């Protein structure tokens, strides 16, 4: 059984993981754009800000002996995430579109924080 606060931490970790992977994947494709230097700089800054939070969340879960083991593709709408925790494995079902929207909102939140911190200087 996974506790509600542990489940929330797992969910936050999943969002951070997806944000990092999406940004890294997009980073490789930015070189083909006319304004690639601008976009690459934005993604670089985002990754520098998001990665520490990602690694901290991963370390926190490891201390609680919780690990995201694998993703299982169900269909075009849903995926299951297998989470290993002390005692048993738990399967969490996620709607893909909802996750995508939450990751986008997370990235926008980081962009706003970056923008706010640079405007106060």
């Amino acid at each position: 059984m996974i506790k509600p606060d542990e489940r929330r931490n797992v969910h936050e970790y999943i969002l951070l993981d997806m944000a990092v992977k999406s940004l890294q994947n997009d980073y490789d494709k930015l070189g083909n754009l006319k304004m690639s230097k601008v976009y690459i700089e934005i993604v670089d800054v985002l990754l520098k800000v998001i990665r520490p939070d990602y690694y901290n969340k991963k370390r926190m879960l490891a201390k609680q002996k919780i690990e995201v083991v694998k993703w299982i593709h169900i269909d075009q709408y849903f995926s299951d995430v297998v989470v290993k925790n002390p005692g048993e494995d738990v399967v969490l079902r996620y709607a893909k579109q909802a996750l995508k929207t939450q990751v986008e909102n997370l990235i926008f939140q980081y962009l706003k924080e970056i923008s706010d911190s640079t405007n106060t200087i």
Side-chain angles (χ1 to χ4, degrees):
M1 181 74 175
I2 190 167
K3 298 175 189 169
D5 60 324
E6 293 172 339
R7 185 178 176 129
R8 185 178 57 256
N9 287 331
V10 167
H11 181 70
E12 290 169 2
Y13 168 77
I14 288 170
L15 293 179
L16 288 165
D17 182 52
M18 290 181 69
V20 168
K21 287 179 180 177
S22 295
L23 289 169
Q24 287 173 333
N25 184 43
D26 292 349
Y27 187 89
D28 296 334
K29 298 172 185 166
L30 292 175
N32 298 331
L33 301 175
K34 289 180 182 178
M35 305 260 310
S36 63
K37 288 182 182 181
V38 173
Y39 299 121
I40 287 173
E41 179 66 25
I42 293 168
V43 173
D44 274 340
V45 170
L46 274 169
L47 284 169
K48 286 177 185 172
V49 173
I50 294 173
R51 275 189 184 129
D53 291 346
Y54 165 75
Y55 289 120
N56 289 337
K57 189 64 72 173
K58 187 173 185 173
R59 277 191 286 275
M60 184 182 58
L61 290 174
K63 285 181 182 178
Q64 296 173 335
K65 296 182 168 91
I66 298 173
E67 178 184 0
V68 174
V69 179
K70 65 179 174 178
W71 283 83
I72 301 171
H73 171 76
I74 302 299
D75 58 26
Q76 69 186 44
Y77 303 108
F78 294 98
S79 287
D80 284 349
V81 178
V82 179
V83 178
K84 183 175 84 173
N85 68 339
E88 66 177 309
D89 290 352
V90 177
V91 178
L92 306 174
R93 180 153 293 175
Y94 285 98
K96 291 179 179 181
Q97 187 60 43
L99 275 178
K100 179 182 179 284
T101 302
Q102 290 175 8
V103 170
E104 288 172 347
N105 290 339
L106 179 68
I107 291 172
F108 281 130
Q109 182 181 345
Y110 276 99
L111 278 171
K112 185 177 181 336
E113 289 174 17
I114 292 167
S115 174
D116 290 348
S117 70
T118 57
N119 288 337
T120 59
I121 297 175

